[in-house]
Amino acid sequence: MTLFIQQLLNGLTVGSLYALIAVGYTVVYGIVQLINFAHGEVFMIGAFGSLATWQVVCRSNTGLWVLPIMIVGGAVCSVVVALLMERFAYRPLRNAPRLAPLITAIGISIALQRAIQLWYPGATSNVSYPSIDGVTGSSLTIGSVVIQRTTLFTLCVLIVSAAALYIFISRTRTGKAMVAVSQDPDTARLMGINVDRIIAAAFAMGAILAALAGVAQGLRDSNVSSTMGFLAGLKAFTAAVLGGIGNIQGAVAGGLVLGLIEAMATQYIPGQFGGNAWSDVYAFIVLILVLVFRPQGLFGARVVDRA
């Protein structure tokens, strides 16, 4: 039972990271029907942005007070990259065949990885990420279950972010405008909604959540790398498809379910097909099964195909 609870916590931690990134995929898809495969690199930029903020602004202090500053620094970097991406790479292709922005996204993904390797000192290999007092350090123990402090931080970030996102979508004018644009952009434009501004807001919102995930992963692993966004982005995309791409609640649920599937499968599948080495395989097996048997995902998509 102890082992099960331990794996449950591990799965929820990893799943929370997937969920934070997956929301960015699903928000953008819900509004412009674009699968932004460069979103994983926005997550990576957030991690490196927070690290640079810690080195330059916080002067390598490890007090808890530096964490909000690191998060703001990472979020600013991610949002700037996401907005530039939307304005100069995706907006000109908005009415192009869907293959064009898809290939563009892959190209941007590779370009961002190479840019970090070229310009961030030491980024050709893993770069150490700082420990923060109160968030990292000695684990908590309840009975025989060991709880990492970063696990609690990651879960809290997901809960607060999901609640804030719900309030933003349901209570603010911009959030309601996002819903209107996702349902019918032409009618929304006739009603006076600035569609370009709403699409940019969707990219920015996804980038903020990706930056939060980048900070959480850096604290959890104690290092970041220029390639950390590739696999995380693919798994987050899997989570978005699992929950029903275009559905925000589905993306959160899909991320958590995918994390739990990975944790439980690597622990309880015996023999040569068990262990961490197979965790990535199980994630993509889930993606294939969902696409074959339930392409609309667990919660279905609330958007319609406008092609």
Side-chain angles (χ1 to χ4, degrees):
M1 189 61 184
T2 300
L3 186 59
F4 175 81
I5 296 175
Q6 192 70 61
Q7 288 303 104
L8 188 68
L9 287 172
N10 294 339
L12 289 175
T13 305
V14 176
S16 297
L17 294 174
Y18 294 158
L20 286 169
I21 307 171
V23 169
Y25 274 108
T26 212
V27 167
V28 169
Y29 183 86
I31 292 180
V32 291
Q33 307 280 286
L34 166 69
I35 298 174
N36 179 18
F37 275 120
H39 189 62
E41 272 54 53
V42 175
F43 154 74
M44 179 269 291
I45 292 289
F48 274 94
S50 62
L51 178 59
T53 303
W54 177 74
Q55 292 171 328
V56 176
V57 180
C58 303
R59 299 181 183 277
S60 301
N61 196 304
T62 60
L64 185 59
W65 62 271
V66 307
L67 185 58
I69 300 174
M70 291 173 63
I71 291 174
V72 170
V76 168
C77 292
S78 289
V79 168
V80 168
V81 169
L83 292 179
L84 290 174
M85 193 188 307
E86 188 277 330
R87 178 63 184 85
F88 296 106
Y90 296 142
R91 191 179 299 183
L93 299 174
R94 199 171 290 168
N95 297 317
R98 290 188 180 183
L99 190 59
L102 189 64
I103 293 174
T104 301
I106 295 172
I108 293 172
S109 172
I110 296 171
L112 289 174
Q113 287 184 30
R114 295 294 178 263
I116 288 293
Q117 292 171 4
L118 182 62
W119 287 311
Y120 200 96
T124 51
S125 58
N126 289 354
V127 181
S128 296
Y129 200 84
S131 298
I132 301 298
D133 300 342
V135 180
T136 58
S138 58
S139 305
L140 307 175
T141 303
I142 300 178
S144 301
V145 177
V146 178
I147 305 174
Q148 302 290 336
R149 292 175 186 268
T150 51
T151 295
L152 298 176
F153 173 74
T154 305
L155 292 174
C156 288
V157 167
L158 177 63
I159 293 170
V160 172
S161 299
L165 187 61
Y166 174 79
I167 293 171
F168 178 81
I169 295 292
S170 60
R171 303 285 177 82
T172 67
R173 289 174 62 88
T174 303
K176 293 176 180 176
M178 283 182 176
V179 175
V181 173
S182 71
Q183 293 173 343
D184 192 333
D186 294 329
T187 303
R189 186 178 285 107
L190 291 173
M191 297 298 289
I193 294 174
N194 186 330
V195 173
D196 289 338
R197 186 175 66 83
I198 294 302
I199 291 173
F203 272 83
M205 190 168 66
I208 291 172
L209 296 178
L212 285 169
V215 173
Q217 176 144 333
L219 293 171
R220 189 177 73 107
D221 296 346
S222 300
N223 65 73
V224 294
S225 74
S226 59
T227 58
M228 63 187 284
F230 178 72
L231 191 56
L234 286 180
K235 289 188 177 181
F237 172 69
T238 303
V241 173
L242 177 61
I245 192 162
N247 185 309
I248 294 175
Q249 293 88 346
V252 174
L256 295 176
V257 170
L258 185 65
L260 290 172
I261 288 174
E262 280 190 18
M264 295 302 174
T266 53
Q267 180 63 45
Y268 290 107
I269 292 181
Q272 60 180 338
F273 298 111
N276 291 329
W278 282 82
S279 63
D280 299 338
V281 176
Y282 296 127
F284 295 111
I285 288 175
V286 169
L287 176 61
I288 293 169
L289 292 176
V290 170
L291 289 175
V292 170
F293 295 106
R294 192 173 170 80
Q296 75 272 30
L298 297 177
F299 292 84
R302 291 185 176 180
V303 294
V304 295
D305 192 343
R306 295 192 294 264

